Amino acid sequence: MSQFTRRAALAGAALLPAAAAAQSSRPITLVVPFPPGGSTDVTARLLAERMAPLLGGPVNVENRPGAATVVGADYVARSQPDGHTVLVSSGSTLTINPHILRNIPYKREDFAPVSLISTLPLAIVVRPDGPPTLDALIERARAHPGRVTYGTNGPSSFNNIAWVLVTEQLGIQMQEVSYRGDAAQVADFLAGRLDMLVVGGSTALPMHRDGRGRILGWTGDARMPITPDVPTVSERARDAVAITWFGLLVPARTPAAMVTRLSQAAVTAMRQEGFGSRLEAEGQTLMASTPEAFADFLTRESDRWGPVLRRMNIEM
């Protein structure tokens, strides 16, 4: 169990009485800044289902994709700070976008952290007729610079930035192709119009299991328990590590009592039997946290990615 989870578990002991006293018929909405079907959406729906009974009312999921999570994030930042509109953020939103997007309409101070949900690497997926191993993929890319194509959710999306970092460390070049979400790029990948995918586990693992694709590697710093035989890219290049995260945030100025209530509900839901294993099956690692621990995590991640992005000179 992570230190985040242990701390939050102690705070969660007082949740049920507080929830019962604060029940409201007005639903809480988890805003997902991606189209349906991807890792963020899957995680949000799983969490909403378990938080609802703890909060004594409905918890809905609303997809607001666009502009590398900016559309959904800006919507939440401008919402009433009453705890009824919650952003299900990915690493792009607050640790990547502020460093690379011009005239971004929100800043980190516009949000109050609620709880870190999980961390996750990205999977490198090829079709069954593609390179048989990660080393073979790397050799193909070296032999044909810029000819191997991979799908992303846009030039400034985390999966593109992560893969640019990884390929830089490997000394290879590939060609990015932008899509509006995982579903569109998977369709082109399965149709043979795209060579590979760099996606989260919720997209990669079903294809890996049913034979439509093969995971050749992960971008984390350790092998995934769900695929222990699949290597990490960092085994070939030590600094080729790119891990993103999911977390809950509300608009700044949301009352502290509401932030605490939401955090306790989220952590209690995440600690219920089966939740952690469900995340693991999606290629994630549970990291439930207090708001304070999540705030510290955001600072560390921003400090880590800032110099990398400046060196990569990525600006949108």
Side-chain angles (χ1 to χ4, degrees):
M1 187 185 299
S2 72
Q3 62 175 334
F4 294 133
T5 305
R6 286 196 297 270
R7 293 172 186 169
L10 296 175
L15 169 65
L16 294 180
Q23 288 184 7
S24 170
S25 59
R26 181 182 170 193
I28 288 173
T29 299
L30 303 185
V31 176
V32 175
F34 294 100
S39 296
T40 321
D41 184 66
V42 170
T43 302
R45 294 180 189 279
L46 179 61
L47 188 57
E49 178 183 347
R50 296 189 177 219
M51 286 179 66
L54 297 171
L55 292 170
V59 179
N60 301 325
V61 174
E62 180 178 340
N63 297 89
R64 286 182 173 264
T69 79
V70 170
V71 171
D74 187 48
Y75 172 78
V76 174
R78 295 173 182 273
S79 297
Q80 284 294 111
D82 56 13
H84 285 84
T85 306
V86 183
L87 178 66
V88 186
S89 177
S90 74
S92 299
T93 308
L94 293 181
T95 57
I96 299 295
N97 288 351
H99 293 292
I100 64 174
L101 298 181
R102 295 180 181 178
N103 303 317
I104 189 170
Y106 65 81
K107 55 186 181 295
R108 178 177 161 188
E109 291 74 22
D110 292 332
F111 300 94
V114 173
S115 178
L116 182 63
I117 299 171
S118 63
T119 58
L120 64 158
L122 297 172
I124 303 151
V125 187
V126 298
R127 291 188 304 278
D129 60 351
T133 65
L134 181 59
D135 287 337
L137 174 66
I138 293 169
E139 288 307 311
R140 178 176 294 186
R142 285 177 177 156
H144 306 282
R147 297 285 298 277
V148 177
T149 59
Y150 66 97
T152 76
N153 296 322
S156 61
S157 63
F158 183 81
N159 57 345
N160 182 54
I161 290 170
W163 194 241
V164 169
L165 171 65
V166 168
T167 55
E168 180 186 75
Q169 294 297 320
L170 292 171
I172 58 177
Q173 294 181 350
M174 293 186 179
Q175 177 61 50
E176 183 261 345
V177 183
S178 297
Y179 295 87
R180 288 184 59 85
D182 285 4
Q185 56 180 295
V186 168
D188 269 7
F189 170 76
L190 295 176
R193 293 187 289 269
L194 194 62
D195 294 323
M196 57 172 278
L197 300 171
V198 184
V199 290
S202 66
T203 299
L205 286 165
M207 291 188 290
H208 186 73
R209 294 184 185 115
D210 66 20
R212 292 177 299 156
R214 286 184 295 108
I215 300 176
L216 296 185
W218 296 91
T219 64
D221 55 3
R223 295 196 179 197
M224 299 296 289
I226 196 71
T227 56
D229 296 332
V230 176
T232 65
V233 188
S234 61
E235 293 173 30
R236 275 72 179 166
R238 185 182 61 183
D239 294 330
V241 175
I243 300 173
T244 190
W245 52 266
F246 296 143
L248 302 176
L249 302 114
V250 290
R253 301 178 304 282
T254 297
M258 190 63 178
V259 173
T260 298
R261 179 180 175 232
L262 288 169
S263 180
Q264 291 174 350
V267 169
T268 300
M270 286 185 268
R271 294 196 67 241
Q272 289 176 352
E273 184 177 358
F275 190 91
S277 59
R278 284 284 298 275
L279 289 190
E280 184 177 299
E282 301 287 346
Q284 302 181 45
T285 300
L286 179 64
M287 297 287 290
S289 78
T290 63
E292 296 78 14
F294 188 17
D296 291 343
F297 175 86
L298 287 174
T299 298
R300 292 196 303 272
E301 283 295 286
S302 181
D303 290 346
R304 183 172 74 91
W305 277 102
V308 171
L309 295 167
R310 286 192 291 272
R311 177 170 52 81
M312 293 168 66
N313 196 31
I314 295 177
E315 184 176 88
M316 299 299 297

